[in-house]
Amino acid sequence: MNNKYEAEINKRRTFAIISHPDAGKTTLTEKFLLYGGAINLAGSVKGKATARHAVSDWMEIEKERGISVTSSVLQFEYDGFCINILDTPGHQDFSEDTYRTLMAADSAVMVIDASKGVEAQTRKLFKVCVMRKIPIFTFINKMDRDANDTFELLDEIEKELGIATCPINWPIGSGKNFKGVYERKSKSVFTYSDTEKGTKEGETEIIPIAERDKLTAEIGEDALSLLEEEIELLDGASAEFDLSEVQSGNLTPVFFGSALTNFGVEVFLKHFLEMTTTPLPRISDKGPIDPVENEFSAFVFKIQANMNKAHRDRVAFMRICSGRFDAGMEVKHVQGGKVMRLSQPQQIMADSRKILDEAYAGDIIGVFDPGIFSIGDTLCMPKDNFKYAGIPTFAPEHFARVRQLDTMKRKQFVKGVTQIAQEGAIQIFKEFNTGLEEIIVGVVGVLQFDVLKYRLENEYNVEIRLEPLPYEHIRWVENTDLDLNKLVGTSDMKKVTDMRDNPLLLFVNPWSIQMVLDRNEGLVLSEFGKN
């Protein structure tokens, strides 16, 4: 492949931002964009009084509630790099979307609230990163508010997440006493000054630690002597910085700052770009696919309907894994067995789009989906034939029966529910031996029910009633030759089929699963659905 491709691919950096809700992830994303010149004024997510909403939250329900429901993709240029950020929903009810998004990232930035430490959702997402061995960079945010003890925060990351930490800089105080950060490599203090809600860069002075008099005048004698004690402790106790350990996912570099007031964000971005890698080879059923050596290939990790209300469209998001994509080229959709041209390839910046002529390995593009793509599908050159590893389907934990209130709107109802299910946010099931008169919906998090109701009303003009069901456990029936009519069940079991007519069993009690296995010789049940 020619050198122009290689140079383009090597300047790509693709990462996901993960955190517990409200740790300041969306604010941090906006500040990155501010430095990249992609936006001129960062919209504080908290400032609901103004009409500015976070740039990366585009769905109406997100603007009303101030939470991110779907992952969005943002691209910007900074310092010779082309950066693709995957901003993920923090709320646990939408964690499935985040899991899928992490499949498309080469590294992850973990945002932690300095006053709360590691929270439940961070733990869960972190496990996915560990499973994939992707490098993790930690930004401890909200230092402009009272924070937990710094050593305790690091200790908690190490204990809870099982990863070594290496602080690149160190905070001086927090809340009203936050004076700035000490950078270990340059042995200098970066002083902190509050800016107006971080809409511009603050004035930061850099003072070498050797200049004691100047530092004392700036941060005070007490803060300086405490800092000197902590540096001594830190140098003796913390892990040495080792780039290969960072890149193999065993060591996380830690940075401190305040995204809201824009302190420490650019320093973090610069270090991050030095430490992250170019797009990496991906595993396929034919072995690893090299981003530079191989021609175009990609996989679909997300499908989103109705991003533009006027057009009733569906967009399939794909991560390009190798080579270069040209707008007019023919590609093979491996799962569908068809050679095709991808329609309306575009780069998406939250809700604005630009049509693309070309894109490279590491980039995320959206293409128009006429209903043929599924999550996990592979695209490659017509002469090639390989599949990237699939993306697991998570078993739903909450179920409800869905009824439409106006039977005349049957068509819209079926279309709406089917499209939302294809995005992967909900899973739909039918009662065994019936049509789609009544649908059972399964979700990972209960907030997904609210989103379903909201979207059906707003995007498809269909009102529904949701009736919660007591089932909490689901199993796919693996046997292909089984007659469900003859299955000996339990009183708390329900037989259903998915949209591909695969048989499934729902249970209220976990112990019933074993009872059904005991009563039906040769029955094989599995926890994960087939993609």
Side-chain angles (χ1 to χ4, degrees):
M1 190 168 283
N2 71 32
N3 290 344
K4 178 181 183 289
Y5 286 11
E6 193 166 349
E8 282 292 340
I9 291 169
N10 287 343
K11 65 185 239 194
R12 292 320 196 246
R13 296 290 182 276
T14 306
F15 66 92
I17 297 200
I18 59 175
S19 82
H20 195 83
D22 225 25
K25 177 169 57 63
T26 306
T27 313
L28 183 66
T29 308
E30 290 195 339
K31 298 305 157 73
F32 287 158
L33 298 178
L34 199 59
Y35 288 114
I39 53 173
N40 297 322
L41 185 67
S44 165
V45 191
K46 288 279 173 282
K48 284 287 152 46
T50 63
R52 281 201 323 267
H53 291 282
V55 179
S56 57
D57 292 346
W58 59 265
M59 210 188 260
E60 287 301 319
I61 192 168
E62 299 187 283
K63 291 175 183 169
E64 283 178 18
R65 295 194 178 191
I67 56 168
S68 297
V69 175
T70 54
S71 305
S72 57
V73 186
L74 311 158
Q75 189 187 60
F76 68 100
E77 303 253 342
Y78 175 83
D79 208 15
F81 292 95
C82 176
I83 300 164
N84 293 287
I85 301 185
L86 295 144
D87 182 19
T88 62
H91 198 289
Q92 63 175 25
D93 284 5
F94 306 104
S95 53
E96 242 191 311
D97 197 45
T98 305
Y99 289 130
R100 288 192 281 261
T101 300
L102 281 169
M103 302 300 280
D106 292 324
S107 55
V109 169
M110 175 166 70
V111 186
I112 289 180
D113 182 326
S115 66
K116 293 182 181 155
V118 178
E119 296 174 89
Q121 190 56 17
T122 320
R123 249 174 250 135
K124 208 169 166 188
L125 297 173
F126 186 84
K127 287 204 172 100
V128 181
C129 297
V130 170
M131 197 168 77
R132 287 208 42 233
K133 285 254 173 266
I134 70 173
I136 294 160
F137 298 82
T138 303
F139 185 78
I140 296 185
N141 192 20
K142 303 193 180 181
M143 291 307 300
D144 55 318
R145 301 188 191 170
D146 291 331
N148 293 357
D149 176 78
T150 316
F151 285 105
E152 280 173 19
L153 279 168
L154 296 178
D155 201 40
E156 191 183 1
I157 293 171
E158 300 202 344
K159 277 207 181 84
E160 290 279 348
L161 307 178
I163 189 170
T165 60
C166 177
I168 303 297
N169 55 29
W170 191 258
I172 304 164
S174 70
K176 294 219 175 349
N177 299 317
F178 184 47
K179 304 282 193 241
V181 293
Y182 165 73
E183 190 179 66
R184 296 175 70 196
K185 193 176 171 187
S186 65
K187 295 190 164 39
S188 301
V189 168
F190 287 62
T191 62
Y192 167 75
S193 63
D194 203 349
T195 63
E196 343 150 11
K197 281 259 166 98
T199 48
K200 57 178 177 33
E201 295 160 54
E203 295 299 313
T204 293
E205 204 181 336
I206 302 171
I207 306 168
I209 191 120
E211 296 184 20
R212 283 203 58 138
D213 296 348
K214 197 170 178 190
L215 261 182
T216 307
E218 191 64 43
I219 67 171
E221 182 64 50
D222 292 352
L224 181 56
S225 50
L226 178 64
L227 174 66
E228 287 171 334
E229 274 172 42
E230 290 186 332
I231 292 169
E232 201 177 322
L233 258 173
L234 192 60
D235 291 344
S238 79
E240 285 289 310
F241 178 74
D242 177 341
L243 193 57
S244 63
E245 283 292 280
V246 172
Q247 291 176 350
S248 56
N250 299 323
L251 176 71
T252 178
V254 183
F255 299 81
F256 295 84
S258 157
L260 190 65
T261 60
N262 217 356
F263 179 77
V265 176
E266 192 167 26
V267 171
F268 171 62
L269 185 58
K270 283 188 164 148
H271 278 284
F272 171 77
L273 292 169
E274 281 169 22
M275 296 175 187
T276 49
T277 59
T278 57
L280 299 169
R282 292 237 150 199
I283 303 300
S284 76
D285 58 358
K286 299 272 186 348
I289 304 294
D290 186 275
V292 176
E293 300 301 316
N294 290 74
E295 288 182 80
F296 169 80
S297 70
F299 71 92
V300 176
F301 67 94
K302 177 183 168 68
I303 292 169
Q304 187 73 54
N306 301 332
M307 287 189 69
N308 181 337
K309 265 200 173 153
H311 298 300
R312 285 266 174 262
D313 60 350
R314 273 166 54 110
V315 175
F317 286 92
M318 47 188 75
R319 150 80 195 232
I320 302 179
C321 301
S322 62
R324 165 180 154 154
F325 169 76
D326 285 302
M329 75 195 291
E330 290 201 317
V331 300
K332 181 194 280 178
H333 174 216
V334 179
Q335 279 76 359
K338 281 200 179 87
V339 170
M340 58 198 284
R341 278 195 173 84
L342 297 177
S343 175
Q344 301 163 23
Q346 50 204 296
Q347 225 142 24
I348 306 209
M349 168 80 174
D351 59 357
S352 63
R353 317 165 177 209
K354 69 171 200 250
I355 297 293
L356 279 181
D357 296 324
E358 58 177 31
Y360 295 87
D363 285 341
I364 308 290
I365 62 171
V367 301
F368 171 71
D369 175 17
I372 56 170
F373 295 119
S374 295
I375 286 165
D377 283 3
T378 300
L379 292 109
C380 58
M381 298 302 284
K383 63 178 172 42
D384 294 329
N385 198 25
F386 58 82
K387 284 181 188 165
Y388 285 113
I391 298 177
T393 308
F394 288 83
E397 293 164 25
H398 308 275
F399 297 88
R401 187 175 272 114
V402 180
R403 291 196 175 101
Q404 60 189 105
L405 298 183
D406 180 352
T407 49
M408 300 300 285
K409 292 189 173 167
R410 174 99 205 109
K411 204 171 155 191
Q412 291 101 300
F413 170 66
V414 173
K415 184 182 174 189
V417 171
T418 311
Q419 286 195 342
I420 294 169
Q422 280 166 332
E423 292 174 25
I426 61 168
Q427 290 177 46
I428 46 180
F429 309 102
K430 301 175 291 196
E431 296 264 0
F432 180 58
N433 279 345
T434 64
L436 279 170
E437 291 76 45
E438 277 190 5
I439 288 176
I440 293 172
V441 170
V443 296
V444 174
V446 284
L447 254 178
Q448 292 283 22
F449 286 138
D450 292 355
V451 173
L452 173 66
K453 198 168 189 307
Y454 182 95
R455 289 188 62 188
L456 283 173
E457 282 172 18
N458 284 275
E459 294 170 17
Y460 299 91
N461 200 17
V462 174
E463 283 195 48
I464 57 161
R465 181 179 289 124
L466 285 161
E467 178 196 317
L469 295 169
Y471 307 102
E472 286 178 15
H473 307 277
I474 185 167
R475 291 293 182 271
W476 276 260
V477 177
E478 293 281 321
N479 312 56
T480 45
D481 53 352
L482 182 83
D483 181 354
L484 263 197
N485 289 306
K486 293 184 178 155
L487 190 78
V488 184
T490 52
S491 56
D492 67 340
M493 184 189 91
K494 188 175 196 55
K495 300 173 193 171
V496 294
T497 56
D498 66 13
M499 296 318 281
R500 294 180 184 150
D501 285 324
N502 296 319
L504 297 101
L505 304 175
L506 304 183
F507 299 91
V508 176
N509 302 307
W511 59 83
S512 300
I513 300 165
Q514 192 53 49
M515 284 169 76
V516 170
L517 286 168
D518 294 345
R519 290 174 185 177
N520 298 273
E521 204 182 323
L523 176 66
V524 183
L525 301 177
S526 82
E527 278 190 61
F528 288 103
K530 297 278 178 287
N531 260 348

